[in-house]
Amino acid sequence: MESIAEWLVDFVHGFGYFGIFIMTFLESTFVPIPAELTMVPAGYLAHQGEMDGLLVLVIAVTGAVMGSIANYYIAFHYGRRFLYAYGKYLFFGHEKMEKLDKFFASHGEISTLTGRLVPGLRHFISFPAGLAHMNLKKFIIYTGIGGGLWMATLILLGYVIGGNKALVRHYTPYVTAIAISGVIIMVILYIKHHRAKKMEVADGQAG
């Protein structure tokens, strides 16, 4: 494991900002490369003065957004065609497609934002967004915000303790747990806000 960590530090150092872009781009497509493997070493190199932390963040978010857009467009242009042809074999018919469209029309922003913070889900959240033809501008904004929060956290982790691999291994699960807790809180607040909004509309119609 240590040799892999050292190789990743060397990779990020050797390829520099371009390497960060490539790795974060791939991490946001269907290639499941955890962002931790790239961003923690990048944060460590920023601490060493060999990289600019802010520039690392900007490039990482750019790579994440571009990779997500690639997934989005694949689903947008080919997903429906595939599901209309073979969806019945996957138990995903027209009715479920309509439900997906309605869900993303109402909750696409919060789903995209929180999906970027959940391990395992961040690689795939772009597909349902593309399938549902979510507004591209909103998709990019919320992907950038969610991706930026996660990347900034990992860079900070690498900056503070990136030189100590044992501490990185120890604290990474805690960082993930905090991110998931944050997602749960955001979803609860969103649900409360959404319900309050619906009640206001209902009261307005009743009055």
Side-chain angles (χ1 to χ4, degrees), residues 7-207:
W7 178 84
L8 285 162
V9 171
D10 291 339
F11 175 86
V12 173
H13 183 259
F15 286 87
Y17 299 108
F18 179 70
I20 289 170
F21 175 82
I22 292 298
M23 294 292 272
T24 52
F25 178 93
L26 291 174
E27 190 261 343
S28 293
T29 61
F30 38 78
V31 182
I33 301 172
E36 297 90 324
L37 297 181
T38 307
M39 302 319 299
V40 173
Y44 170 69
L45 291 171
H47 176 73
Q48 296 295 101
E50 297 185 41
M51 282 188 149
D52 183 288
L54 183 58
L55 188 55
V56 166
L57 178 61
V58 170
I59 290 172
V61 172
T62 303
V65 169
M66 295 297 288
S68 297
I69 290 173
N71 274 6
Y72 174 94
Y73 269 113
I74 290 170
F76 187 99
H77 290 291
Y78 304 107
R80 284 176 180 257
R81 205 179 305 171
F82 175 83
L83 287 173
Y84 286 153
Y86 304 105
K88 58 185 177 182
Y89 303 111
L90 303 171
F91 306 102
F92 197 98
H94 290 259
E95 192 177 321
K96 286 189 178 178
M97 182 66 77
E98 287 175 9
K99 286 181 180 178
L100 181 67
D101 287 343
K102 287 178 183 176
F103 179 84
F104 263 83
S106 301
H107 313 294
E109 295 91 342
I110 190 69
S111 300
T112 302
L113 172 61
T114 55
R116 290 297 313 179
L117 298 169
V118 179
L121 181 59
R122 69 174 64 97
H123 308 289
F124 304 108
I125 189 63
S126 308
F127 284 110
L131 275 176
H133 290 188
M134 180 182 175
N135 179 276
L136 181 59
K137 185 178 178 181
K138 288 183 178 180
F139 173 76
I140 291 172
I141 290 170
Y142 287 96
T143 296
I145 293 171
L149 287 171
W150 183 240
M151 299 297 184
T153 301
L154 295 176
I155 292 168
L156 184 61
L157 178 66
Y159 189 90
V160 175
I161 57 175
N164 189 323
K165 298 180 185 68
L167 283 178
V168 171
R169 284 197 295 270
H170 177 73
Y171 282 107
T172 298
Y174 292 102
V175 171
T176 303
I178 290 168
I180 292 173
S181 299
V183 167
I184 292 169
I185 291 168
M186 279 191 277
V187 169
I188 291 170
L189 291 174
Y190 174 80
I191 290 170
K192 284 185 176 180
H193 174 73
H194 191 71
R195 283 180 179 171
K197 209 171 177 183
K198 283 178 78 174
M199 287 178 69
E200 282 179 18
V201 172
D203 289 342
Q205 289 175 344

